[in-house]
PDB file of all heavy atoms in Angstrom:
ATOM      1  N   ALA F  53      41.943  63.188  16.147  1.00 93.00           N
ATOM      2  CA  ALA F  53      43.410  63.208  16.303  1.00 93.00           C
ATOM      3  C   ALA F  53      44.011  64.323  15.479  1.00 93.00           C
ATOM      4  O   ALA F  53      44.939  65.035  15.944  1.00 93.00           O
ATOM      5  CB  ALA F  53      43.995  61.864  15.900  1.00 93.00           C
ATOM      6  N   VAL F  54      43.510  64.542  14.267  1.00 92.00           N
ATOM      7  CA  VAL F  54      43.993  65.636  13.426  1.00 92.00           C
ATOM      8  C   VAL F  54      43.697  66.977  14.079  1.00 92.00           C
ATOM      9  O   VAL F  54      44.561  67.861  14.099  1.00 92.00           O
ATOM     10  CB  VAL F  54      43.363  65.556  12.004  1.00 92.00           C
ATOM     11  CG1 VAL F  54      43.642  66.823  11.214  1.00 92.00           C
ATOM     12  CG2 VAL F  54      43.869  64.321  11.275  1.00 92.00           C
ATOM     13  N   LYS F  55      42.512  67.137  14.644  1.00 93.00           N
ATOM     14  CA  LYS F  55      42.157  68.385  15.296  1.00 93.00           C
ATOM     15  C   LYS F  55      43.120  68.653  16.482  1.00 93.00           C
ATOM     16  O   LYS F  55      43.629  69.782  16.615  1.00 93.00           O
ATOM     17  CB  LYS F  55      40.725  68.335  15.833  1.00 93.00           C
ATOM     18  CG  LYS F  55      40.300  69.557  16.611  1.00 93.00           C
ATOM     19  CD  LYS F  55      38.933  69.352  17.258  1.00 93.00           C
ATOM     20  CE  LYS F  55      39.015  69.833  18.689  1.00 93.00           C
ATOM     21  NZ  LYS F  55      38.041  69.332  19.586  1.00 93.00           N
ATOM     22  N   GLU F  56      43.372  67.657  17.303  1.00 92.00           N
ATOM     23  CA  GLU F  56      44.258  67.830  18.451  1.00 92.00           C
ATOM     24  C   GLU F  56      45.677  68.185  17.985  1.00 92.00           C
ATOM     25  O   GLU F  56      46.307  69.070  18.555  1.00 92.00           O
ATOM     26  CB  GLU F  56      44.260  66.567  19.307  1.00 92.00           C
ATOM     27  CG  GLU F  56      42.921  66.392  20.035  1.00 92.00           C
ATOM     28  CD  GLU F  56      42.770  65.031  20.681  1.00 92.00           C
ATOM     29  OE1 GLU F  56      43.698  64.186  20.614  1.00 92.00           O
ATOM     30  OE2 GLU F  56      41.674  64.783  21.261  1.00 92.00           O
ATOM     31  N   TYR F  57      46.151  67.502  16.948  1.00 92.00           N
ATOM     32  CA  TYR F  57      47.490  67.782  16.399  1.00 92.00           C
ATOM     33  C   TYR F  57      47.518  69.220  15.863  1.00 92.00           C
ATOM     34  O   TYR F  57      48.467  69.954  16.122  1.00 92.00           O
ATOM     35  CB  TYR F  57      47.795  66.774  15.285  1.00 92.00           C
ATOM     36  CG  TYR F  57      49.033  67.098  14.496  1.00 92.00           C
ATOM     37  CD1 TYR F  57      50.298  66.826  15.034  1.00 92.00           C
ATOM     38  CD2 TYR F  57      48.945  67.646  13.225  1.00 92.00           C
ATOM     39  CE1 TYR F  57      51.437  67.113  14.282  1.00 92.00           C
ATOM     40  CE2 TYR F  57      50.089  67.940  12.493  1.00 92.00           C
ATOM     41  CZ  TYR F  57      51.332  67.671  13.031  1.00 92.00           C
ATOM     42  OH  TYR F  57      52.465  67.962  12.318  1.00 92.00           O
ATOM     43  N   ALA F  58      46.479  69.604  15.116  1.00 89.00           N
ATOM     44  CA  ALA F  58      46.440  70.931  14.539  1.00 89.00           C
ATOM     45  C   ALA F  58      46.417  72.016  15.624  1.00 89.00           C
ATOM     46  O   ALA F  58      47.077  73.041  15.472  1.00 89.00           O
ATOM     47  CB  ALA F  58      45.219  71.057  13.633  1.00 89.00           C
ATOM     48  N   MET F  59      45.678  71.776  16.685  1.00 88.00           N
ATOM     49  CA  MET F  59      45.618  72.747  17.779  1.00 88.00           C
ATOM     50  C   MET F  59      46.941  72.870  18.503  1.00 88.00           C
ATOM     51  O   MET F  59      47.404  73.979  18.823  1.00 88.00           O
ATOM     52  CB  MET F  59      44.483  72.388  18.734  1.00 88.00           C
ATOM     53  CG  MET F  59      43.101  72.580  18.128  1.00 88.00           C
ATOM     54  SD  MET F  59      41.763  72.122  19.233  1.00 88.00           S
ATOM     55  CE  MET F  59      41.769  73.538  20.351  1.00 88.00           C
ATOM     56  N   GLN F  60      47.607  71.735  18.719  1.00 89.00           N
ATOM     57  CA  GLN F  60      48.882  71.758  19.444  1.00 89.00           C
ATOM     58  C   GLN F  60      50.005  72.387  18.643  1.00 89.00           C
ATOM     59  O   GLN F  60      50.952  72.919  19.191  1.00 89.00           O
ATOM     60  CB  GLN F  60      49.291  70.335  19.815  1.00 89.00           C
ATOM     61  CG  GLN F  60      48.410  69.703  20.889  1.00 89.00           C
ATOM     62  CD  GLN F  60      48.672  68.205  21.062  1.00 89.00           C
ATOM     63  OE1 GLN F  60      49.478  67.621  20.350  1.00 89.00           O
ATOM     64  NE2 GLN F  60      47.974  67.607  21.999  1.00 89.00           N
ATOM     65  N   ASN F  61      49.867  72.346  17.310  1.00 89.00           N
ATOM     66  CA  ASN F  61      50.944  72.823  16.439  1.00 89.00           C
ATOM     67  C   ASN F  61      50.560  74.058  15.631  1.00 89.00           C
ATOM     68  O   ASN F  61      51.225  74.393  14.666  1.00 89.00           O
ATOM     69  CB  ASN F  61      51.369  71.692  15.511  1.00 89.00           C
ATOM     70  CG  ASN F  61      52.004  70.561  16.295  1.00 89.00           C
ATOM     71  OD1 ASN F  61      53.131  70.661  16.722  1.00 89.00           O
ATOM     72  ND2 ASN F  61      51.253  69.474  16.492  1.00 89.00           N
ATOM     73  N   SER F  62      49.469  74.718  16.024  1.00 85.00           N
ATOM     74  CA  SER F  62      48.997  75.934  15.337  1.00 85.00           C
ATOM     75  C   SER F  62      48.839  75.717  13.829  1.00 85.00           C
ATOM     76  O   SER F  62      49.281  76.517  13.006  1.00 85.00           O
ATOM     77  CB  SER F  62      49.968  77.113  15.598  1.00 85.00           C
ATOM     78  OG  SER F  62      50.077  77.362  16.970  1.00 85.00           O
ATOM     79  N   LEU F  63      48.197  74.611  13.478  1.00 87.00           N
ATOM     80  CA  LEU F  63      47.980  74.260  12.070  1.00 87.00           C
ATOM     81  C   LEU F  63      46.491  74.171  11.737  1.00 87.00           C
ATOM     82  O   LEU F  63      46.118  73.458  10.803  1.00 87.00           O
ATOM     83  CB  LEU F  63      48.651  72.926  11.780  1.00 87.00           C
ATOM     84  CG  LEU F  63      50.180  72.886  11.895  1.00 87.00           C
ATOM     85  CD1 LEU F  63      50.700  71.471  11.800  1.00 87.00           C
ATOM     86  CD2 LEU F  63      50.821  73.769  10.824  1.00 87.00           C
ATOM     87  N   LEU F  64      45.667  74.907  12.455  1.00 85.00           N
ATOM     88  CA  LEU F  64      44.232  74.796  12.240  1.00 85.00           C
ATOM     89  C   LEU F  64      43.853  75.202  10.807  1.00 85.00           C
ATOM     90  O   LEU F  64      42.996  74.571  10.197  1.00 85.00           O
ATOM     91  CB  LEU F  64      43.475  75.651  13.250  1.00 85.00           C
ATOM     92  CG  LEU F  64      43.535  75.114  14.696  1.00 85.00           C
ATOM     93  CD1 LEU F  64      42.974  76.152  15.655  1.00 85.00           C
ATOM     94  CD2 LEU F  64      42.794  73.811  14.803  1.00 85.00           C
ATOM     95  N   ASN F  65      44.481  76.253  10.265  1.00 85.00           N
ATOM     96  CA  ASN F  65      44.164  76.651   8.898  1.00 85.00           C
ATOM     97  C   ASN F  65      44.494  75.545   7.870  1.00 85.00           C
ATOM     98  O   ASN F  65      43.751  75.347   6.939  1.00 85.00           O
ATOM     99  CB  ASN F  65      44.879  77.945   8.504  1.00 85.00           C
ATOM    100  CG  ASN F  65      44.095  79.164   8.922  1.00 85.00           C
ATOM    101  OD1 ASN F  65      42.887  79.188   8.770  1.00 85.00           O
ATOM    102  ND2 ASN F  65      44.783  80.179   9.434  1.00 85.00           N
ATOM    103  N   LYS F  66      45.581  74.866   8.111  1.00 88.00           N
ATOM    104  CA  LYS F  66      45.988  73.788   7.204  1.00 88.00           C
ATOM    105  C   LYS F  66      44.940  72.677   7.159  1.00 88.00           C
ATOM    106  O   LYS F  66      44.693  72.080   6.104  1.00 88.00           O
ATOM    107  CB  LYS F  66      47.343  73.214   7.619  1.00 88.00           C
ATOM    108  CG  LYS F  66      47.794  72.055   6.755  1.00 88.00           C
ATOM    109  CD  LYS F  66      49.124  71.512   7.201  1.00 88.00           C
ATOM    110  CE  LYS F  66      49.515  70.343   6.314  1.00 88.00           C
ATOM    111  NZ  LYS F  66      50.778  69.744   6.690  1.00 88.00           N
ATOM    112  N   TYR F  67      44.347  72.410   8.303  1.00 87.00           N
ATOM    113  CA  TYR F  67      43.413  71.276   8.416  1.00 87.00           C
ATOM    114  C   TYR F  67      41.957  71.729   8.481  1.00 87.00           C
ATOM    115  O   TYR F  67      41.100  71.019   8.994  1.00 87.00           O
ATOM    116  CB  TYR F  67      43.773  70.423   9.624  1.00 87.00           C
ATOM    117  CG  TYR F  67      45.086  69.717   9.474  1.00 87.00           C
ATOM    118  CD1 TYR F  67      46.214  70.106  10.169  1.00 87.00           C
ATOM    119  CD2 TYR F  67      45.204  68.639   8.579  1.00 87.00           C
ATOM    120  CE1 TYR F  67      47.419  69.455  10.003  1.00 87.00           C
ATOM    121  CE2 TYR F  67      46.412  68.002   8.415  1.00 87.00           C
ATOM    122  CZ  TYR F  67      47.515  68.423   9.120  1.00 87.00           C
ATOM    123  OH  TYR F  67      48.720  67.762   8.950  1.00 87.00           O
ATOM    124  N   LYS F  68      41.674  72.908   7.930  1.00 88.00           N
ATOM    125  CA  LYS F  68      40.320  73.468   7.998  1.00 88.00           C
ATOM    126  C   LYS F  68      39.286  72.533   7.364  1.00 88.00           C
ATOM    127  O   LYS F  68      38.186  72.339   7.879  1.00 88.00           O
ATOM    128  CB  LYS F  68      40.275  74.847   7.316  1.00 88.00           C
ATOM    129  CG  LYS F  68      39.105  75.656   7.740  1.00 88.00           C
ATOM    130  CD  LYS F  68      39.009  77.030   7.107  1.00 88.00           C
ATOM    131  CE  LYS F  68      40.284  77.652   6.680  1.00 88.00           C
ATOM    132  NZ  LYS F  68      40.098  78.980   6.107  1.00 88.00           N
ATOM    133  N   MET F  69      39.628  71.909   6.249  1.00 89.00           N
ATOM    134  CA  MET F  69      38.702  70.986   5.584  1.00 89.00           C
ATOM    135  C   MET F  69      38.411  69.790   6.476  1.00 89.00           C
ATOM    136  O   MET F  69      37.248  69.353   6.612  1.00 89.00           O
ATOM    137  CB  MET F  69      39.270  70.500   4.236  1.00 89.00           C
ATOM    138  CG  MET F  69      38.371  69.534   3.500  1.00 89.00           C
ATOM    139  SD  MET F  69      36.834  70.257   2.948  1.00 89.00           S
ATOM    140  CE  MET F  69      37.417  71.241   1.592  1.00 89.00           C
ATOM    141  N   ALA F  70      39.431  69.242   7.107  1.00 91.00           N
ATOM    142  CA  ALA F  70      39.231  68.109   7.996  1.00 91.00           C
ATOM    143  C   ALA F  70      38.355  68.519   9.177  1.00 91.00           C
ATOM    144  O   ALA F  70      37.475  67.749   9.613  1.00 91.00           O
ATOM    145  CB  ALA F  70      40.577  67.581   8.512  1.00 91.00           C
TER     146      ALA F  70
END
Side-chain angles (χ1 to χ4, degrees):
V54 168
K55 177 188 135 201
E56 291 169 1
Y57 171 78
M59 290 179 75
Q60 291 169 357
N61 294 285
S62 301
L63 295 171
L64 291 170
N65 273 319
K66 177 180 179 181
Y67 293 107
K68 200 179 333 181
M69 179 66 74

